[in-house]
Amino acid sequence: MTADSEFERLRTKLIDQGLTGGDSLPVLARSAEDPGQQYFAELKLDLKRLFDLLGDSRTIDRELAAALFGIGHHAYVNYEASINHGREFRDTLIDPDLIDLEMAVDSIFTCEWVTL
């Protein structure tokens, strides 16, 4: 698989997981559904791979940027809202799973991979 085709595959996958349609992470979060630790681990690996594929080129299109924002921000906000309304989740949902995703998305936007 070439780097360009891998980038397009990741782009498509991340757009599906980050925008507000279907079974995207923001939709799951708004529905107070936890897709599980494995889902978050795979998503974080996808974000790291996207970061690596971007290399020195840090230009991404608007649709991908919106999807990344959905993954890094909307999901967190929606899960927090559910928690504030009394919904309980597994102990690792917010920390480290959602925080790791937020850091991965921030890393893509700031061009420097950050880990806690």
Side-chain angles (χ1 to χ4, degrees):
M1 178 179 291
T2 67
D4 286 342
S5 63
E6 185 175 3
F7 175 82
E8 284 304 315
R9 180 191 66 78
L10 276 173
R11 180 186 175 280
T12 300
K13 184 178 179 182
L14 291 169
I15 287 170
D16 287 344
Q17 290 175 318
L19 293 180
T20 56
D23 290 334
S24 69
L25 185 56
V27 169
L28 292 171
R30 189 171 44 248
S31 301
E33 295 179 41
D34 178 2
Q37 275 184 304
Q38 185 62 34
Y39 176 92
F40 286 96
E42 289 175 17
L43 185 51
K44 184 178 174 187
L45 287 174
D46 288 341
L47 292 167
K48 176 64 166 111
R49 185 64 187 140
L50 176 68
F51 176 87
D52 292 340
L53 286 170
L54 285 169
D56 291 334
S57 171
R58 295 298 187 215
T59 303
I60 59 174
D61 62 86
R62 185 177 288 202
E63 188 175 28
L64 180 56
L68 293 173
F69 187 72
I71 291 168
H73 177 71
H74 290 296
Y76 185 89
V77 168
N78 286 324
Y79 281 117
E80 278 291 321
S82 292
I83 290 168
N84 290 337
H85 286 95
R87 176 73 161 86
E88 292 184 18
F89 294 98
R90 61 186 163 85
D91 291 340
T92 59
L93 177 66
I94 299 295
D95 187 5
D97 289 343
L98 285 168
I99 290 174
D100 283 350
L101 289 185
E102 183 178 17
M103 297 300 292
V105 169
D106 285 350
S107 295
I108 291 168
F109 289 145
T110 62
C111 307
E112 181 179 346
W113 192 256
V114 178
T115 56
L116 294 176

